[in-house]
Amino acid sequence: METAEHIKYLVREGQLLAEAAEEAGEDAEVRTCPGWRVRDLLRHTGMVHRWATSFVVEGHTSYRPGSGEPDLDGEALLEWFRRGHDRLVTALTEAPDTLECWTFLPAPSPLAFWARRQAHETTVHRVDAESALGLVAGRSPVGPGLAADGVDELLCGFHGRDKSRVRTGRPGTLRVRATDTGDAWTVRLSAEAPRTTRSDDGPADCELSGPAEALYLTLWNRLPIGTPAVAVSGEDRLAHLWRETSAVTW
């Protein structure tokens, strides 16, 4: 997926997130993030947007922490979120292809990395905001192409790092297959960090198959393992291992 497409999705998903948050109200429970209210979601996502913007605009070449979450509520919080989202979109749109700055996952370029990462950060949290309206799977669809791209970022990016906690003393192979896009990934699980290839070669001990959107939401732990849209075959212990250990940390 090209950078321009990621930015297009970032625009849409940020607008949908704000609309859902406004409709639900800041005190509404975010069902997909136990313990969070809508205000927590807006503060977190708005902080991440500003954090990402700082790397793109200021060109920091090493890690820098975010500036923290604001003590805002109500209309002021919603407006703060929208301003930060707009600034991020502007920063990515105006950044040169030659941008040099810090990143933390493999990507063709820093600009491609930040556009992709923030598109998925915002999409997943848009689903969270819509869950506060009682719509656990999200009332707005995640397109198959974006969803498959997000599965790829999660499996090959986040869980391609040595810090992944998805580990097991009983090695096994997990296959993830998107039935609508034709994408497939083979994830080798062991006592070491997972190793993923973009293929469906060889046998698998467990397979998750279904539309890319359902896989995206399941693997990001926004839908439960066993949701009707995703078929689980083989050793379901590997699917449950994913559920229990795959929460992403920076």
Side-chain angles (χ1 to χ4, degrees):
M1 184 171 289
E2 298 295 325
T3 295
E5 290 182 90
H6 283 126
I7 296 173
K8 178 188 72 175
Y9 283 117
L10 171 62
V11 172
R12 174 183 181 271
E13 298 295 327
Q15 291 170 347
L16 288 172
L17 193 162
E19 291 169 6
E22 185 172 30
E23 183 177 347
E26 66 194 45
D27 199 44
E29 178 184 0
V30 179
R31 301 184 183 193
T32 50
C33 297
W36 273 24
R37 303 285 175 175
V38 166
R39 66 169 58 85
D40 302 308
L41 182 64
L42 288 172
R43 290 170 179 173
H44 167 78
T45 313
M47 181 273 291
V48 172
H49 285 171
R50 283 165 168 78
W51 178 69
T53 300
S54 71
F55 289 101
V56 175
V57 171
E58 299 171 27
H60 302 305
T61 56
S62 60
Y63 170 79
R64 295 195 178 194
S67 58
E69 298 177 6
D71 186 20
L72 294 174
D73 268 320
E75 189 59 38
L77 175 58
L78 197 59
E79 179 57 29
W80 175 86
F81 171 83
R82 285 179 164 134
R83 285 199 309 272
H85 173 247
D86 286 346
R87 289 172 183 167
L88 174 60
V89 169
T90 298
L92 290 168
T93 301
E94 296 181 352
D97 292 338
T98 55
L99 172 71
E100 293 291 338
C101 66
W102 178 80
T103 63
F104 60 90
L105 296 177
S109 70
L111 179 58
F113 164 79
W114 283 110
R116 184 193 207 194
R117 176 79 291 275
Q118 292 309 300
H120 291 297
E121 177 81 12
T122 307
T123 300
V124 170
H125 287 316
R126 182 270 295 171
V127 172
D128 293 332
E130 291 183 347
S131 81
L133 298 170
L135 304 167
V136 176
R139 67 176 175 186
S140 307
V142 180
L146 180 64
D149 183 72
V151 170
D152 188 83
E153 185 201 42
L154 182 64
L155 297 180
C156 299
F158 279 107
H159 290 289
R161 302 182 298 172
D162 288 340
K163 68 190 298 182
S164 173
R165 296 184 303 110
V166 184
R167 298 168 188 247
T168 174
R170 293 171 55 196
T173 301
L174 174 67
R175 175 146 307 125
V176 178
R177 188 186 305 278
T179 54
D180 51 350
T181 67
D183 294 288
W185 299 263
T186 299
V187 187
R188 291 174 174 83
L189 302 173
S190 68
E192 304 298 324
R195 292 294 175 257
T196 299
T197 56
R198 298 179 182 98
S199 71
D200 60 357
D201 296 334
D205 301 298
C206 178
E207 178 168 305
L208 304 180
S209 62
E213 178 184 32
L215 292 172
Y216 181 66
L217 297 178
T218 299
L219 292 170
W220 276 103
N221 294 328
R222 265 53 186 190
L223 285 177
I225 295 292
T227 186
V230 175
V232 181
S233 59
E235 297 183 28
D236 62 0
R237 71 175 180 90
L238 296 178
H240 290 288
L241 171 73
W242 181 273
R243 181 73 178 186
E244 294 162 3
T245 61
S246 66
V248 166
T249 59
W250 294 110

